[in-house]
Amino acid sequence: MVGVVLLVAVIFIAIFAPLIFANTPWQMVQRPFLAPFAMESLPLGTDTLGRDVAAQLAYGARVSLLVGLVSTLVALLIGVPLGALAGFYGGYVDEGAMRFTEFFQTIPNFALAIVLVAIFEPTLASITLAIAIVSWPPVARLVRAEVMSVRKREFVDAATLAGLSKPRILVRQVLPNTVSPIIVMASLMVATAILLESSLSFLGLGDPNAMSWGYMIGAARTVIRSAWWLSFFPGIAIVITVLALNLIGEGLNDALNPHLSRKGKA
Amino acid sequence: MSTTLSIEHLTIGLPEGADRPFAVEDVSMAIEKGEILCVVGESGSGKSMTANALMGLLPPGVNVKAGRAMFEARDVLRLPEGEKQALRGASMAMIFQEPMTALNPLMRIGDQIVEVFAAHDRYTQSERREKALALIREVQLPDPEKIIRAYPFQLSGGQRQRAMIAMALALEPKLLIADEPTTALDVTTQAQILKLILDLREKRGMAVMFITHDFGVVAEIADQVIVMRMGKVVERGSATEVLENPQHDYTKRLLEAIPTGKLPEARQLSETPALEIKGLRKIYRTGGGMFKPVREVRAVDDVSLTVARGEVLGLVGESGSGKSTLGRTAVRLVTPDGGQVMVGGTDLAALSDEELRKQRHKVQMVFQDPYASLNPRQRIMGAITDGPITRGIPRKEAEARARELLEIVGLGADAASRFPHEFSGGQRQRIGIARALAMDPELIIADEAVSALDVSIQAQVLDLLRELREKLELSILFITHDLRVAAQLCDRIAVMQKGKLVEIGTVHDIFLNPQQEYTRKLLAAVPGADWDQQGAA
Amino acid sequence: QEAGGRLDIVVQPEPPSLMLGLVQNGPTQLVAGDIYEGLLRYGTDLQPQPLLAKSWEISDDGLTYTFTLNEGVKWHDGEDFTAEDVVFSADVFLRETHARLRASLAYVESITAPDDTTVVFQLKEPFGPFISVFETGTMPIVPKHIYEGTDFANNEMNATPIGTGPFKFEAWEKGSYIHLVKNEDYYVDGLPYLDEVYYRVIPDAAARAVAFETGEVDVLPGGSVENWDVPRLTEMDNVCSTGSGWEFFAPHAWMWLNNREGPTSDVRFRQAVMYAMDRDFQRDVVWNGFGNVATGPVSSKTNFYSDDVTIYDHNPEKAEELLAEMGYDGEEVRLLPLPYGETWQRWAEAIRQNLSEVGINVSIDSTDVAGWNEKTSQWDYDMAFTYLYQYGDPALGVSRNYTADRIQKGSPWNNVEGYDNPELDEKWFAAATMISPEERQAAYNEIQQEIVDDVPVAWLLELEFPTIYRCDIKDLVTTGIGVNDGPRNAWIEQ
Amino acid sequence: MTILIAILSRLAKAALTLLAIAVLNFCLLHAAPGDPAVVLAGEAGAADEQMIAQLRERFGLDQPLYVQLGKYIAGIVQLDLGYSFRQSAPVIDLIAERLPATLLLTLTAFVISLTCGIALGVAAAARVGKVSDSLLTTLALLFYATPLYWLALMAVLVFSVWLGWLPGFGYETVGSDFSGFARAIDILKHLILPALTLGLFFMAVYMRMTRASMLEVSTADFVKTAKAKGLSGPVIRRRHILRNAILPVVTLAGLQAGQLVGGAVLTETVFAWPGIGRLMFESLAARDYNTILGVFLVSAAMVILFNIVTDIVYRIVDPRIGARA
Ligand SMILES: Nc1ncnc2c1ncn2[C@@H]1O[C@H](COP(=O)(O)OP(=O)(O)OP(=O)(O)O)[C@@H](O)[C@H]1O
Ligand SMILES: Nc1ncnc2c1ncn2[C@@H]1O[C@H](COP(=O)(O)OP(=O)(O)OP(=O)(O)O)[C@@H](O)[C@H]1O
Ligand SMILES: [Mg+2]
Ligand SMILES: [Mg+2]
């Protein structure tokens, strides 16, 4: 519940950032290094170039959430079909798909993301894609495992017996039964993606035209001593969002797991 | 005789949202030294709760509301945790319902037994081992030296159950609580375990509270019987009193519904075969990955049989003898390694995938596990109509037929819009039957189609099947491990052992004049066989 | 002056190699400047001072340079240093390996060693700035006995460099530090004072600042910490800083504007860019007040500078006028920042903001060092940041960026913007070969006046990189190359 | 015996996988814009066509890509990872120089995170529903959600700058001439902050996983059996629940142990730790292909190695695996 409220708040701020703040986050509006709460119109102070930190935070939410959501979506789009086919058809399909997945898993994923972003050059699209590319293998594995176990369940046999075709069984009978763990995983992946984007930004591999939280922290680390608020606020923003997503993930986990919901975690 | 345990006015409260406020209400009972008290009753009547309350192992949210349980002059329900701990395992022990999961899978059997001594600080290290070994011998586990170092997965279900018993008996408790310790076991293993408990009672004079729903078992071992329903004791008395002269309506109904050993009259069978199986073989190979040697199981080994049109062929045999595999091969959910399966004259193996799909409707199956065979995310209507619609029957028509079938199996048409989890086990099994019938099959493989049913509902379903057989000339391969049920419904019976067909013949031949040693053993192992004979007489 | 002690100096990034004859990037010069030596060093006034050469003479026609070398100089491995080493280095080794020097050596007819302590450079034609090419980073003298006849690039001794300098190579713990120790046989009595020097590799700018604060390192050479940290660090007790020590290099920052295509090929657009930028803000905020606004191609610290040119102040209206006049349609202009840290990134953002305020549609391309090199040397950019060293003379460090003969794809250190002005080219060449400084001054004044109106590139700032060090370190920065050869004379007050 | 054969066959398979990875990585990297020769020339501070051509020829970059690939793979088969253009040294030497530091850091972090994570997870599970449980869980969640580099910066600030307790960066005190035990202590001091920051994230992961797994297992039937035997709570938790709950943690730990080798880039950067991750990052900036490829290959090898180790650990913990005869 807390998670949902927090997340909705963040999303709200992200969507309405242009309405709340008249200036773009790049606009230099005041003298640099204005401390937070020193000036009413600039509640969170200004950064090294005199830009409004509050506006940056709001606009940053857009990028961070966008990267998180889209990369998760892309990862699901790669991982779910691959895992589903591998798990359902087994044999060579499985072998091939899993070897392919293994390639991506043997390269440490942060390192791979760095290389990918460097190769494609950091733009919002390439960063999102790189994060998706490093995050899909666990999805594929999870879906595969789930599909494999669901495939062995007897209702699949029953459907076969009813004369349904294989693709139809996969889509209509098997996949719907793998949805809950995927949803739970996805909520955690969004969180991880936001962290990953911020880490890339920190290393200077962010999109220079997109204001994100990671960018803010990366830009602020050199002045962490003299202007604590510049890295503190975006840091807190990331923590809150990731926390919210985690809480939602755990909530879903409990809600979707009949064993746990029955126990009632009062 | 002295009273070992006396329960007085026990009431156990259930948490909010449960189906009733109290799991058990105002229950009293007493067990004398060396006596076996059988607690019977319908599923969910509070038998396990009573047992768990005695052990202090009630699940969270479930609490003792009133009453006391006097054991060794103390009220065990109100002992502090520390004293309860000392009591558990030492003077009061319990055997749980499910032997497959009741042992720690990662610990050697020996260690799990030794642990009991350790928990109560008895004996020295080496003595404990000796004792454990002795116990294993006592419960007649084969090759004790090996068993003591084995892990649970290396043991069969019956062996695990015996290991459990060994643990329960380790400290020679005064009271043994056994909660349906044999439901998961096949008849032969069940018989061994019952004998063991009787022996031990003799030797050690311990009191036993035995929970079961099987009247055969009651007849075999009980001194006293208590019948429970909806959390209340509805009848009590000595075994003979209750079995032969039941007072309460519920008890009477229970006893009436028990399939009798009475054999139906033989019928004239048609000549045209609905199913012909020739030289069928299926070998399962498992493992063979990293670190694992390949393991072969000959699940079905050179089996030939035919089912005629309108015939019900019973397939019996102990657990793991290959019955389900045979059934699945017949509907071609499993591809055989050899042999032929002809359904209504066509060889399913000769068909292409696409043609096979079109022919599927001819043979249908009622699955052994009704819950698993229903998609938890699909409404019942979908589950039943998927097949017919794929066959090309218009949706409207298919749905109308589905409602009709649901009525026929006694569920009511409104069941169609519910999800599987909203039904009880027995209801689900009937949905499975309706689904099979919806395809207008010529042959139904009914795999333990009535095992999950209460005796009374069981009778209802058997009636339905008989009726269909008559009306539609439906052939049925009726797989069961319950010989009594088989006797009631089947025309002929086939007996399987370790993948082989050991005997096949009319019901009368098999029951009255079994040819094979194995068949005789199966028949003899049916619990309460003697009492049953009387009933049949 | 007291002998003894140890200095810990930050080096960033870690040099790829210490063989100064092969690699001449900044970090290598910083470290290897203590190991290798050139013939001369240059004061903060850019006047030559003795180093390996104790005296020198230039003939009146400006064609003959005669150097007399110090006696008793030994290589770190004990071999004697002779004039033959100088001839080998300049004529053989560096001709092959040192691109920047190669351009100057084109003027040289012959290099000879009449005796062990005399070297003579004979030029084909006069070359005004020739006296400035003997600095250690420009012409490091390498040992002939080790390199003659070998494959220079793959010589095993590259890993353990042998020079004549005040410090010897001791150890290199990759990723951590480089350790140099005092050369006991140094040819100047009493020098060096220090016992050892550690060059510390710390990849993160914030960590470098912390390292200085916690006393782990004693010297932060210019550019090691972000500008915002400088005031905080210099306010600490016993901390001194100096902007001096970069005169020889006079780093000059600008944006290449691609003269070949797009809006940037229009001189009005380029002028508009100059007017749109608030370069005082850039200096005051982005560079924290360090540096000067550049007036043109030549740094005010370099010889032959002139301020008699058109001055571009911050004038958005003028910029908008120019844009309207040329009919700029809002076409997107890509801006390639220099991937050297946060300061540069912020700088690009500030300029983007300035430009967008007059209606120029700028998007920042992001890239790493390799990508920057690739894009600029392949001319794949619209506007690109850079800064270059001037090496004390326009003919060495400035004209290379503007003459048409230096339009060479594949290198980011020449006329990358593609500026082609044959008339001006003539003037650059003529100015280089004049002998009299007065004549040259006049020629360069004219050049500066003309080129500033053309705005081939958008000049930004004369950069100033303050060197931060503990005040008890004395005489650290005494020359125009600052810390690069600073440890030679530095000493620590006890 | 069979184990040995299985391991050997698995290693052979791993070698093939590695080779395939090498090819894949090679193609991937060469797709990147940026030419090492240009970078090198650029770094020199001046360059002309001649110099770049020289460099290309020297490194074989003038040859067609497939020839380069062929040579590279041929090298790998002979355990030669090629030559670093930028650092003018064999890649294998560069990696060998850096690997110990990385392993020291990551293994320490790994051990800390695993032991503390499991211990805290067990503690939290034992107090489920109580305040201390919520406290621990929230704390873990916080560690999980806090960006690693932020935490690192803060740690340096607090422990190194303000309190002055621990060195803020580096691998050891430079030029201290410590040896033996003193040196070990010195390295240990430097290790604490980076290992802790790197470990905290994983600790949070392990803790949550252990807790969830413990709770799940504690509802299993055999736990009830254990209670019925009269065992005390702590004994049940230790001997019965934990052992069964640890399996998924082992799986995850195996996956992550391998990843740690290449996943410490951020920590190594912030703490100036001379490890392999930083080597990779710096080489990437210079398009020093062979070095990056080498690092990738080594870390891939680590991942595979740890997978095998995990399998063996799994076998030890769970006798059911592979023991069927
Ligand atoms: N953990 C629980 N929480 C709430 N209600 C429960 C719980 N466990 C059992 N019940 C309810 O308590 C009642 C008695 O259950 P109990 O397990 O004692 O039945 P039983 O007689 O043993 O039945 P069976 O023969 O099926 O084992 C049932 O109504 C059941 O729904
Ligand atoms: N998919 C499978 N893979 C491997 N072995 C199997 C598989 N299915 C069944 N078996 C094995 O084949 C043998 C026969 O199994 P089957 O399910 O046919 O027995 P059954 O007679 O139906 O037993 P039950 O009465 O317990 O249902 C058993 O030993 C079982 O372990
Ligand atoms: Mg029960
Ligand atoms: Mg079966």
Side-chain angles (χ1 to χ4, degrees), chain A residues 51 121 209 215 221 225, chain C residues 204 213 349 352 364 375:
Chain A
R51 300 175 296 199
E121 301 195 346
N209 298 302
Y215 163 90
R221 80 184 136 146
R225 303 294 308 284
Chain C
D204 185 62
E213 281 175 275
E349 288 162 10
R352 176 180 59 187
I364 298 181
K375 283 186 170 164

Side-chain angles (χ1 to χ4, degrees), chain D residues 20-307:
Chain D
I21 288 172
V23 175
L24 204 79
N25 287 341
F26 185 90
C27 299
L28 194 70
L29 280 183
H30 284 263
D35 178 335
V38 173
V39 179
L40 273 182
E43 280 192 330
D48 49 20
E49 295 282 330
Q50 184 195 347
M51 181 169 178
I52 291 174
Q54 260 177 19
L55 287 170
R56 286 230 172 82
E57 194 190 319
R58 203 166 105 212
F59 305 143
L61 291 168
D62 52 344
Q63 290 167 349
L65 212 57
Y66 65 90
V67 177
Q68 293 183 40
L69 175 62
K71 282 193 175 150
Y72 183 69
I73 296 299
I76 287 192
V77 173
Q78 299 158 39
L79 288 184
D80 169 12
L81 297 182
Y83 194 80
S84 160
F85 309 145
R86 188 180 134 86
Q87 310 225 25
S88 332
V91 170
I92 205 142
D93 293 354
L94 291 177
I95 292 180
E97 253 171 36
R98 300 289 193 97
L99 196 57
T102 292
L103 285 181
L104 178 66
L105 171 63
T106 55
L107 286 181
T108 313
F110 180 66
V111 171
I112 292 177
S113 60
L114 198 61
T115 47
C116 298
I118 291 177
L120 289 177
V122 170
R127 291 165 181 71
V128 65
K130 298 208 181 105
V131 180
S132 49
D133 169 42
S134 318
L135 221 66
L136 281 174
T137 332
T138 315
L139 204 66
L141 214 53
L142 264 178
F143 283 138
Y144 180 85
T146 311
L148 183 69
Y149 50 88
W150 198 70
L151 210 62
L153 290 175
M154 290 300 162
V156 172
L157 210 57
V158 173
F159 293 103
S160 181
V161 179
W162 291 345
L163 298 174
W165 289 351
L166 293 165
F169 54 86
Y171 175 73
E172 55 185 323
T173 305
V174 167
S176 57
D177 287 330
F178 286 140
S179 61
F181 186 66
R183 178 153 187 253
I185 292 288
D186 181 48
I187 292 179
L188 193 71
K189 273 191 191 159
H190 283 81
L191 185 61
I192 293 175
L193 282 184
L196 272 183
T197 33
L198 184 60
L200 275 181
F201 174 82
F202 291 106
M203 190 180 93
V205 173
Y206 295 138
M207 184 200 139
R208 294 174 61 190
M209 189 142 189
T210 308
R211 179 177 174 275
S213 191
M214 289 280 290
L215 288 181
E216 173 128 11
V217 172
S218 63
T219 62
D221 284 354
F222 64 80
V223 176
K224 217 161 118 187
T225 310
K227 278 187 200 151
K229 285 180 190 172
L231 298 180
S232 69
V235 172
I236 293 176
R237 271 197 292 282
R238 208 177 55 240
R239 298 188 55 166
H240 291 272
I241 305 182
L242 180 59
R243 190 140 176 230
N244 281 279
I246 209 102
L247 288 175
V249 182
V250 168
T251 313
L252 187 78
L255 263 176
Q256 270 167 358
Q259 295 262 324
L260 278 173
V261 174
V265 184
L266 276 176
T267 320
E268 288 180 1
T269 304
V270 176
F271 289 99
W273 193 262
I276 199 172
R278 234 177 78 200
L279 177 69
M280 183 215 68
F281 189 55
E282 282 158 11
S283 305
L284 185 69
R287 298 293 183 272
D288 191 353
Y289 293 141
N290 285 350
T291 310
I292 314 171
L293 282 174
V295 172
F296 270 24
L297 211 61
V298 168
S299 48
M302 285 291 168
V303 174
I304 292 175
L305 186 78
F306 274 107
N307 280 348

Side-chain angles (χ1 to χ4, degrees), chain C residues 219-358:
Chain C
V219 180
L220 294 170
S224 340
V225 294
E226 301 287 352
N227 293 322
W228 297 286
D229 266 338
V230 172
R232 201 185 80 248
L233 296 178
T234 48
E235 276 160 20
M236 289 166 54
D237 284 348
N238 187 32
V239 169
C240 293
S241 78
T242 173
S244 186
W246 289 86
E247 293 80 1
F248 186 77
F249 302 119
H252 207 61
W254 64 78
M255 281 193 298
W256 280 313
L257 303 173
N258 198 331
N259 283 225
R260 300 175 189 83
E261 56 192 11
T264 46
S265 61
D266 191 314
V267 67
R268 287 165 298 186
F269 186 90
R270 301 200 297 262
Q271 287 168 343
V273 169
M274 289 301 284
Y275 282 119
M277 290 189 298
D278 183 352
R279 291 182 293 167
D280 287 317
F281 174 87
Q282 290 167 26
R283 185 203 45 208
D284 294 341
V285 172
V286 179
W287 283 88
N288 227 41
F290 296 107
N292 297 304
V293 171
T295 54
V298 181
S299 164
S300 62
K301 297 198 182 74
T302 303
N303 297 325
F304 310 116
Y305 165 77
S306 157
D307 61 1
D308 180 18
V309 295
T310 310
I311 300 296
Y312 295 96
D313 49 357
H314 178 46
N315 191 341
E317 292 78 27
K318 188 98 183 246
E320 280 168 9
E321 257 168 53
L322 283 163
L323 289 174
E325 187 187 321
M326 74 167 274
Y328 170 67
D329 57 357
E331 187 182 333
E332 187 182 83
V333 185
R334 293 169 298 158
L335 172 59
L336 189 67
L338 201 55
Y340 282 180
E342 297 303 322
T343 303
W344 293 89
Q345 201 65 38
R346 289 303 90 67
W347 200 355
E349 288 162 10
I351 286 182
R352 176 180 59 187
Q353 194 60 31
N354 278 163
L355 295 185
S356 68
E357 276 159 13
V358 300

